[in-house]
Amino acid sequence: MLLLIPGPVQTRPEVRAAMAQDIAPWDRDFQAVYARIRERIVGVAGGTPGVHATLPIQGAGHFVTEAALRTFVPPGGRVLIPMNGAYATRMARLAREAGRDVVTIELPDTRGATAADILPTLEADPSIGTVAMVFNETGSGIVNDAPGIGAAVRALGRRMILDAVSAFGVLPFRMDAHPECDALVFTSGKCLEGMPGIGFAVARIDRAEACAGNAGSWSLDLTDVLAHARRSGWGSIRFTPPVQAIAAFDVALDLYDAEGGQAARLARYRANADALYDGCAALGLRPYLERQHQGPVIVTIHQPADPRFDLMAFVEALKRRGVLISNFWNTTAPTMRIGAIGALTPDDMRHAVGAIGETLAELLPRAA
Ligand SMILES: *Cc1c(COP(=O)(O)O)cnc(C)c1O
């Protein structure tokens, strides 16, 4: 089965094999693996050891995103979120339910947000302390200009939190070039092609120290994660971690390095997305995004206007041909969402496009 979804992604057999063992989290052998993973992640984030630290939160990406919002935005603090997709909406809800004062800017989900979109609001309201935003909007496939917005945030002396869950390891953003960024968050199961089960914040140590007491939650307090690492060692982790997923993640990082790191992986995903975009267009399907706004992570395609089209039936029929895509959509208009990430190549994508064509022919036969 080809898993064409934007996380959890198709993984390599070596990654899956690393899970086939029992592990004690406090075992010294495992602690060495885990401490090394944390260092490697700081490197992938373009951070500086001693300035930046990898702070884990077990579970799905939402948990670590909420932890970053709770930790780095004080209770009642005002946070600006550019709204142009499903994951921005989720971020706003996480912040609101944590009691933060959310200011939104509504933008279309068909192009990435830029500094020009947020600057007037940010300049007009000095009480906005933080801009929180999504890097790659996995709802539609657009890429928001996180480096450009970060520069604007820095110029105005504000702080930034970046949801890089579907971007980390692929879209360039170096923490050492973005001192305004308190935390960028991501998970094990997306562009680094590991198993799902744990999220990480790469955070500024000085900010984590300054923000003790903000979180209003022990489980989701990144300052406590930092304090624990200092107390018990960087190979130690609070509460029971998904040890097998962490062991697999170490192998996934080896494969990431062997492939050539960020530039090589971005090139492969870009080629995957191009193959999907061009292939679907050649089938007569209409991509949701104009070409110049199409990011490398997920391709969304308008559902055929034919009244016989039913997404669930389509996904099931496509699955019988060995290709699995999302059975839901979260763009403004009805779409099919097809992931371009994971251990997959442009040839896999062309194969998938062939299967999509056959499935459409089966379900929507032309009138004789
Ligand atoms: C996948 C994803 C998340 C986290 O999703 P979870 O289901 O909580 O792991 C957050 N933000 C973006 C942009 C994502 O793509």
Side-chain angles (χ1 to χ4, degrees):
M1 183 71 71
L2 294 182
L3 199 57
L4 267 62
I5 62 173
V9 299
Q10 180 106 13
T11 55
R12 294 256 297 251
E14 305 93 304
V15 173
R16 296 194 293 274
M19 300 201 39
Q21 55 178 326
D22 296 312
I23 301 168
W26 39 260
D27 185 300
R28 285 195 173 170
D29 293 339
F30 180 74
Q31 291 211 341
V33 170
Y34 180 58
R36 188 174 68 229
I37 286 175
R38 290 175 106 159
E39 286 171 15
R40 295 174 86 174
I41 288 172
V42 170
V44 175
T48 307
V51 176
H52 300 101
T54 303
L55 305 175
I57 296 283
Q58 296 89 332
H62 284 74
F63 299 177
V64 69
T65 303
E66 179 175 347
L69 289 163
R70 284 181 171 274
T71 302
F72 295 109
V73 181
R78 187 163 286 180
V79 53
L80 174 67
I81 304 182
M83 303 292 281
N84 58 356
Y87 286 89
T89 304
R90 286 152 178 258
M91 203 177 200
R93 177 168 176 182
L94 290 172
R96 263 190 213 109
E97 296 207 10
R100 273 56 177 174
D101 180 13
V102 176
V103 178
T104 57
I105 300 176
E106 300 295 330
L107 297 167
D109 71 350
T110 46
R111 65 161 179 89
T114 65
D117 292 317
I118 64 146
L119 258 176
T121 309
L122 207 52
E123 276 170 343
D125 186 350
S127 71
I128 295 170
T130 304
V131 173
M133 62 176 282
V134 174
F135 197 170
N136 181 88
E137 176 50 74
T138 325
S140 66
I142 52 174
V143 177
N144 293 318
D145 180 14
I149 292 175
V153 167
R154 182 164 75 245
L156 291 175
R158 318 296 172 82
R159 310 299 310 164
M160 181 174 183
I161 294 171
L162 187 57
D163 169 353
V165 176
S166 62
F168 189 73
V170 171
L171 297 181
F173 185 93
R174 292 190 60 86
M175 286 293 275
D176 59 11
H178 288 278
E180 74 284 356
C181 188
D182 287 342
L184 74 75
V185 301
F186 73 98
T187 61
S188 50
K190 294 210 175 174
C191 299
L192 291 173
E193 301 182 0
M195 295 291 162
I198 187 163
F200 301 96
V202 181
R204 288 193 64 91
I205 293 172
D206 58 354
R207 289 284 298 149
E209 284 167 346
C211 288
N214 279 353
S217 161
W218 181 25
S219 297
L220 299 178
D221 184 0
L222 291 172
T223 74
D224 191 63
V225 176
L226 176 64
H228 175 88
R230 286 181 161 160
R231 234 175 10 250
S232 308
W234 293 91
S236 159
I237 183 164
R238 294 184 325 164
F239 319 141
T240 303
V243 274
Q244 284 80 10
I246 292 173
F249 194 52
D250 192 43
V251 177
L253 286 170
D254 289 343
L255 294 172
Y256 177 74
D257 289 345
E259 183 174 356
Q262 177 265 327
R265 190 148 297 182
L266 174 59
R268 177 161 59 85
Y269 287 176
R270 174 55 75 188
N272 285 352
D274 286 349
L276 285 172
Y277 193 99
D278 295 339
C280 287
L283 291 175
L285 296 167
R286 191 156 64 93
Y288 185 68
L289 299 175
E290 284 174 32
R291 182 119 214 170
Q292 73 267 28
H293 300 303
Q294 175 61 61
V297 169
I298 174 171
V299 175
T300 45
I301 303 286
H302 282 283
Q303 292 180 18
D306 191 316
R308 293 172 297 174
F309 184 82
D310 171 67
L311 180 63
M312 201 61 81
F314 175 75
V315 169
E316 289 299 318
L318 183 60
K319 191 169 75 181
R320 287 196 289 277
R321 291 182 168 82
V323 176
L324 189 57
I325 66 169
S326 298
N327 62 12
F328 58 92
W329 48 278
N330 41 31
T331 41
T332 309
T335 54
M336 307 185 269
R337 57 199 308 260
I338 312 175
I341 62 176
L344 297 165
T345 65
D347 279 341
D348 293 321
M349 299 299 155
R350 284 184 278 273
H351 174 82
V353 168
I356 288 171
E358 288 171 20
T359 306
L360 288 172
E362 174 198 332
L363 296 181
L364 311 177
R366 296 244 167 77

